[in-house]
Amino acid sequence: MKIICIGRNYIDHINELANERPESPVVFLKPDTSVLLKGQPFFIPEFSSDVHHEVEVLVKINRIGKHIQPKFSHKYYDEIGLGIDFTARDVQNDLKSKGLPWEKAKSFDGAAVVGKWVSKKELPNVDSLHFQLYKNDALVQDGQTTFMLWKIDELIAYVSQFFTLKIGDIIFTGTPSGVGPVAVHDVLKGTLEGLELFRIKVK
Ligand code: ZN
């Protein structure tokens, strides 16, 4: 199983980090060891003092595919989820400034929160989903998939040009604005269309 992540897919988040708007999707991977085990807290790694939450809509691939055309992308998933792309922002900024890959900042153990899955039949159109992240019951990120630069079906088509998609692969579709640091004792709760899909303690 692999996790394919999309960066810079919401203009308000691109602006908050003063990044350039990309001409094509920014793509990186997380290994299966980055998935936070069910029921476990997230431990802030020792190598960072500025770990940020990034709440993201997730897509679980349900059949094998390569070079998928956008009009067929919808056949490759029937569950949508919500997760966190934890990012060691201090490490990432250092790597970015040197033009180096981001894995140390984004692919460490526990850096991928994968919440519960919801059948897309139970949801409105995947291009008009509302999702939220609450930190200690305060709303910190409030996103809508309407505002993605590249929509879910376009992302599946795009990434399948580079990677064969396999059953169980997960796509993290990018974060809206409101990213920020987490601290020990924080509780992070994610909701999609009002459904609570994860609740994580930070240690
Ligand atoms: Zn992200």
Side-chain angles (χ1 to χ4, degrees):
M1 184 276 262
K2 59 184 171 296
I3 297 174
I4 303 169
C5 300
I6 306 301
R8 303 183 194 171
N9 200 25
Y10 289 87
I11 197 74
D12 55 350
H13 172 62
I14 292 170
N15 292 338
E16 77 179 341
L17 293 188
N19 282 320
E20 277 179 39
R21 184 181 177 137
E23 287 170 16
S24 53
V26 173
V27 178
F28 57 95
L29 300 178
K30 292 184 191 251
D32 56 3
T33 46
S34 67
V35 176
L36 186 67
L37 297 175
K38 289 271 177 277
Q40 292 297 304
F42 171 74
F43 287 92
I44 296 174
E46 285 177 6
F47 55 76
S48 176
S49 53
D50 193 26
V51 172
H52 281 199
H53 54 75
E54 296 190 353
V55 71
E56 311 200 359
V57 169
L58 313 185
V59 180
K60 184 154 67 172
I61 298 299
N62 66 0
R63 54 191 281 203
I64 195 162
K66 188 166 175 65
H67 296 302
I68 298 164
Q69 292 179 49
K71 65 180 176 186
F72 295 129
S73 291
H74 67 276
K75 296 172 183 276
Y76 288 81
Y77 63 100
D78 43 35
E79 287 180 300
I80 298 289
L82 195 71
I84 298 177
D85 165 22
F86 275 121
T87 304
R89 194 71 70 201
D90 44 359
V91 176
Q92 188 196 27
N93 286 341
D94 183 51
L95 294 167
K96 272 164 72 175
S97 71
K98 294 171 181 161
L100 294 171
W102 297 353
E103 277 78 0
K104 286 191 280 185
K106 283 186 169 281
S107 305
F108 53 88
D109 289 0
V113 171
V114 177
K116 290 180 200 151
W117 296 98
V118 184
S119 165
K120 69 181 178 191
K121 291 186 205 123
E122 293 168 30
L123 293 168
N125 185 317
V126 295
D127 295 331
S128 61
L129 298 174
H130 290 73
F131 58 102
Q132 286 84 22
L133 184 74
Y134 295 86
K135 184 165 79 173
N136 308 325
D137 291 325
L139 180 64
V140 286
Q141 290 194 265
D142 191 7
Q144 292 186 46
T145 57
T146 317
F147 299 125
M148 286 180 170
L149 294 179
W150 290 278
K151 300 291 190 284
I152 286 173
D153 288 358
E154 294 171 313
L155 292 173
I156 288 172
Y158 184 77
V159 300
S160 77
Q161 296 176 62
F162 302 92
F163 312 115
T164 296
L165 300 182
K166 296 175 76 176
I167 294 169
D169 287 350
I170 297 172
I171 302 176
F172 276 60
T173 60
T175 194
S177 63
V179 302
V182 297
V184 174
H185 305 310
D186 281 348
V187 176
L188 300 169
K189 179 179 85 170
T191 60
L192 176 71
E193 293 294 322
L195 302 166
E196 181 178 319
L197 298 188
F198 64 78
R199 186 183 284 261
I200 301 294
K201 286 187 181 139
V202 178
K203 291 200 172 176

